[in-house]
Amino acid sequence: MEFEFYSQTDTGRVRSNNEDNVAIDTSCSLAVLADGMGGYAAGEVASGMACEFVSAELGRWLNEAAPQASDGDVRRAMDICVDNANRAIFGAANSNPMYAGMGTTLVLGVFRSGRLLLGHIGDSRGYRLRAGVLQQVTKDHSLLQEQIDAGMLTPEQAQFAANKNLVTRALGVEDMAQLETHQHEIQSGDIYLMCSDGLSDMLRDHQIAEVMAQHQTLPEMGAALVAAANEAGGRDNIAVVLVRAQGVADPAPRSWWPFRRFAGLG
């Protein structure tokens, strides 16, 4: 199974700096997206560190270990790499007054033949477009989502809530971060979208699906999503990652964990 990747970020129409970051490593089919928070420039530092640390460390491990590694092995590697990134961001935030309180959301995907290992922290999202139907495959770690789950708000009411940006999990704000991971079956023709809330707050899911359906290539699709978010107000930075799957899936490998060879993840 082969994967095509495209990514794009945009400052939007209101913010003066861009605190969204993305990282793609096509050699190991890894995509990382982060939306920073904090004082001016601090959020950009946090999201940049998250993308750099996770893509470099996990990408290196995947390129060496992936042919023999099971899905469970990869999920463990994801947890360890994200924990290392969290510690680095938390340490920087506590050692430099300019970065005090900074943090970032995170969504990352490891695309394997026939399945996606998807992890996230915060309210940056993952979607799957299959046969024209768009489905959100992550669940926001946010106060708003908790209110929806508790029956205090309907999804429709949540569209107009004032506390959309209050996340209940973030990378770098505490000494430990909990990555939520799930595995999803991939079918040929699937298109996966990872995005910051600069897109999902501006466009309803059906609008995102409509924009994606109007374009064939991933660059056209990504540019159109960013343009649509800006046309709807562009109140925040916008980041999108698009991944298209094609071909037949290979069998999943058995469990294999290289503790000694890859001491950085042991």
Side-chain angles (χ1 to χ4, degrees), residues 117-129:
L117 303 177
L118 186 67
H120 79 290
I121 295 174
D123 59 0
S124 291
R125 292 181 177 179
Y127 291 90
R128 179 187 65 213
L129 183 67

Side-chain angles (χ1 to χ4, degrees), residues 198-220:
L199 180 73
S200 57
D201 277 356
M202 292 293 96
L203 302 177
R204 303 286 294 272
D205 287 4
H206 72 88
Q207 294 174 309
I208 294 174
E210 289 171 0
V211 172
M212 294 177 71
Q214 292 169 3
H215 302 276
Q216 293 297 317
T217 72
L218 297 190
E220 291 173 345

Side-chain angles (χ1 to χ4, degrees), residues 157-236:
Q157 290 171 329
Q159 291 293 320
F160 305 99
N163 58 348
K164 280 188 175 184
N165 303 117
L166 297 178
V167 296
T168 54
R169 293 190 203 179
L171 199 68
V173 298
E174 297 180 349
D175 58 355
M176 295 185 65
Q178 184 179 359
L179 180 71
E180 181 176 347
T181 59
H182 297 281
Q183 184 168 323
H184 303 276
E185 174 199 6
I186 297 178
Q187 296 181 9
S188 184
D190 284 352
I191 298 177
Y192 290 86
L193 166 67
M194 297 161 56
C195 67
S196 64
D197 62 354
L199 180 73
S200 57
D201 277 356
M202 292 293 96
L203 302 177
R204 303 286 294 272
D205 287 4
H206 72 88
Q207 294 174 309
I208 294 174
E210 289 171 0
V211 172
M212 294 177 71
Q214 292 169 3
H215 302 276
Q216 293 297 317
T217 72
L218 297 190
E220 291 173 345
M221 199 177 293
L225 287 169
V226 170
N230 277 323
E231 288 170 7
R235 292 193 297 269
D236 201 352

